[in-house]
Amino acid sequence: MQQLTVILELTVSNHPGVMSHICGLFARRAFNVEGILCLPLPQGDQSRIWLQVADDQRLEQMISQIDKLEDVVQIRRDADGAGVFGKLTTLVQ
């Protein structure tokens, strides 16, 4: 049975170490990230990160923990990013 996934869309400060902090949070809690996409926003001082993650009982706690990180400006669940991961999947298969 395939586990359902959701997309988390984060707006973060754009500087070295931000991605490491976010991924480290998932790693410390043994929560797998299925997909990551990160692009700088036009202003250059922020980036957008899309995370494709499992939709399980721990997800709400993970969202709460991510939101506490200093460099996370905004977090949205189920943002319109599923199409992006679908298109990327077709490119690498």
Side-chain angles (χ1 to χ4, degrees):
M1 184 173 140
Q2 185 177 4
Q3 186 166 16
L4 296 176
T5 60
V6 297
I7 306 301
L8 301 179
E9 182 179 310
L10 287 64
T11 303
V12 299
S13 299
N14 187 12
H15 62 81
V18 174
M19 181 68 76
S20 177
H21 290 140
I22 292 168
C23 290
L25 183 68
F26 280 88
R28 285 189 302 276
R29 286 157 182 80
F31 199 108
N32 194 36
V33 175
E34 301 292 331
I36 300 173
L37 177 62
C38 181
L39 296 168
L41 295 175
Q43 319 78 295
D45 62 336
Q46 294 182 335
S47 291
R48 179 89 18 92
I49 300 174
W50 292 268
L51 300 171
Q52 184 177 26
V53 297
D55 188 7
D56 71 16
Q57 69 275 6
R58 302 175 299 156
L59 183 57
E60 290 306 319
Q61 179 64 28
M62 287 300 301
I63 291 171
S64 176
Q65 293 297 312
I66 294 167
D67 200 32
K68 292 177 184 177
L69 293 175
E70 181 179 327
D71 292 315
V72 175
V73 177
Q74 181 182 22
I75 182 169
R76 294 189 304 189
R77 180 184 171 152
D78 295 326
D80 186 30
V84 172
F85 283 102
K87 289 176 185 175
L88 288 173
T89 301
T90 60
L91 289 174
V92 295
Q93 290 182 350

